[in-house]
Amino acid sequence: MIDICQLLKMIEVTPQDDTLYLLEKLPCGTGLFASNGNILYIVPNNEQCDSLGIRTDFLHLETNVYVTAFNTSVSSFENGYYNYVELQLSNIPNIEENVNAFVNLCLAHASYMNGQEFVAFFDSLVSLFQLPREQHYKNLIGLMGELLFIEYIFNEYGLDISSYWHTEGSSSQLDFVSPTVNFEVKTTSSDSSRFTIKHNQLFGNPGQTYLVAVSLEESNAGRSLENVISSLQENANCCNGMQFSVNIEREKRRISPHELRSKKFILKRICAYNAVSINPFSSIPDCVEEMSYKLDLMPFHDGAFDNIIISHQNSE
């Protein structure tokens, strides 16, 4: 049994010089290493994984990497192609508990899986060390809706609105802000017409603002988020800005890498509602702040995208 307290002490005193220092040798040529204050699980790439890099809040996966940074004075590991997953310790909560879980899973993977199926193993780690599964799914649905809205507007009207998406990064109050019209996208994978509204976010902004309601259906016949992202990024006439690429990478970190690839959806419908016409409150008392609620859109009439887009194009 590996002593976690001792392991953490070893990591703490290890030089931060980009060198890999062996902490514990595990079965099948695998091992736990310290590097720059973090702990890494390294496995020979015997299954010949293609090169892949994924970062989440606390984990970093790299496959098919040629490693030469072993500290040869204490390690019998030879230079070669490896897969590794790194647990970043600087901001992780409950460090002893999380390192213990990480080490136990790495040991189990080395012992029972012989170091194989490494990407699937990484997916299992993500489910433990990232956001709760329910929040992962909500983030997935939300991003899917926003990107399908970009795709829909381009396919139907030849208009690339990707440069208006998350213009202030993660602090953006609305999903799309342009000089003439704003859009806030709400997405659901259920049959419900109720959406959670943050009142000031939707109704407290100057200018013309629309709530875009996106309805999806989870289906094996649909497309994954990874498919949608690839389709947009491969389009020579759309989504080619640097900020769009930055936004995509930031949002992907809030989603399970496994669900990014495996969950598939069909777009059922996209509707737009003028915020003025769906505001359920004529006024809000000054003592009420940050009010949110479920709003049923069934009683309201959605606006025609043709009119919205034509108005936007004529104003530019």
Side-chain angles (χ1 to χ4, degrees):
M1 184 175 180
I2 300 174
D3 186 331
I4 299 302
C5 291
Q6 182 62 30
L7 200 72
L8 289 171
K9 289 178 182 178
M10 293 170 64
I11 295 172
E12 187 176 349
V13 301
T14 298
Q16 298 196 20
D17 56 3
D18 296 324
T19 300
L20 291 163
Y21 293 90
L22 180 64
L23 297 171
E24 188 80 23
K25 195 169 185 179
L26 301 180
C28 300
T30 71
L32 294 171
F33 290 80
S35 181
N36 296 330
N38 296 326
I39 182 170
L40 296 86
Y41 171 54
I42 298 182
V43 174
N45 189 19
N46 295 330
E47 59 180 324
Q48 297 182 331
C49 293
D50 293 331
S51 297
L52 176 67
I54 299 175
R55 285 186 181 272
T56 65
D57 290 339
F58 304 120
L59 297 168
H60 177 200
L61 168 76
E62 292 288 344
T63 59
N64 196 37
V65 177
Y66 192 77
V67 179
T68 61
F70 296 114
N71 179 15
T72 55
S73 65
V74 295
S75 171
S76 59
F77 284 72
E78 298 180 353
N79 296 344
Y81 285 93
Y82 291 85
N83 306 321
Y84 74 79
V85 60
E86 178 181 18
L87 180 64
Q88 298 171 325
L89 303 182
S90 57
N91 296 315
I92 196 167
N94 306 318
I95 186 167
E96 187 172 332
E97 175 185 340
N98 281 310
V99 169
N100 186 57
F102 178 82
V103 168
N104 287 340
L105 285 173
C106 293
L107 179 57
H109 180 255
S111 301
Y112 303 131
M113 301 298 294
N114 301 318
Q116 303 299 298
E117 299 184 26
F118 197 77
V119 175
F121 167 67
F122 175 76
D123 289 337
S124 68
L125 288 176
V126 167
S127 67
L128 285 179
F129 292 98
Q130 298 309 115
L131 296 169
R133 185 175 182 85
E134 181 182 0
Q135 188 61 52
H136 267 156
Y137 188 77
K138 288 180 180 178
N139 294 342
L140 170 71
I141 293 294
L143 181 57
M144 191 75 163
E146 291 168 19
L147 296 184
L148 287 175
F149 177 56
I150 292 174
E151 183 180 68
Y152 172 81
I153 294 298
F154 181 79
N155 289 342
E156 293 294 320
Y157 304 101
L159 183 64
D160 179 12
I161 62 171
S162 63
S163 61
Y164 304 130
W165 179 51
H166 290 196
T167 53
E168 300 296 326
S170 58
S171 62
S172 297
Q173 189 170 11
L174 293 168
D175 292 321
F176 295 85
V177 176
S178 81
T180 58
V181 64
N182 307 321
F183 297 104
E184 175 64 17
V185 179
K186 298 294 183 181
T187 310
T188 182
S189 59
S190 72
D191 294 328
S192 173
S193 58
R194 295 186 176 188
F195 293 84
T196 300
I197 303 297
K198 295 179 181 178
H199 189 87
N200 287 343
Q201 178 189 38
L202 186 61
F203 304 116
N205 285 282
Q208 194 171 25
T209 299
Y210 286 85
L211 173 64
V212 177
V214 180
S215 296
L216 307 176
E217 178 182 339
E218 191 170 339
S219 168
N220 288 337
R223 293 188 294 165
S224 68
L225 181 57
E226 185 176 60
N227 295 150
V228 174
I229 291 172
S230 296
S231 177
L232 290 173
Q233 291 182 325
E234 290 168 5
N235 189 328
N237 300 307
C238 181
C239 304
N240 295 318
M242 179 64 187
Q243 189 58 47
F244 178 80
S245 297
V246 171
N247 288 338
I248 285 289
E249 292 307 315
R250 181 179 55 250
E251 294 301 318
K252 281 167 61 176
R253 295 182 65 179
R254 302 171 62 239
I255 295 166
S256 160
H258 175 65
E259 293 186 343
L260 179 84
R261 302 187 299 269
S262 64
K263 293 289 185 182
K264 296 183 178 181
F265 300 90
I266 294 172
L267 175 63
K268 295 170 63 178
R269 59 185 174 273
I270 296 181
C271 302
Y273 300 84
N274 191 315
V276 174
S277 67
I278 63 172
N279 188 346
F281 301 101
S282 58
S283 63
I284 302 294
D286 293 338
C287 59
V288 176
E289 295 182 356
E290 299 183 10
M291 182 172 68
S292 63
Y293 47 85
K294 293 278 189 180
L295 180 64
D296 190 347
L297 296 176
M298 185 66 72
F300 302 102
H301 295 289
D302 59 296
F305 269 112
D306 288 357
N307 296 333
I308 299 170
I309 298 303
I310 291 172
S311 174
H312 168 75
Q313 291 175 323
N314 289 340
S315 300
E316 285 193 320

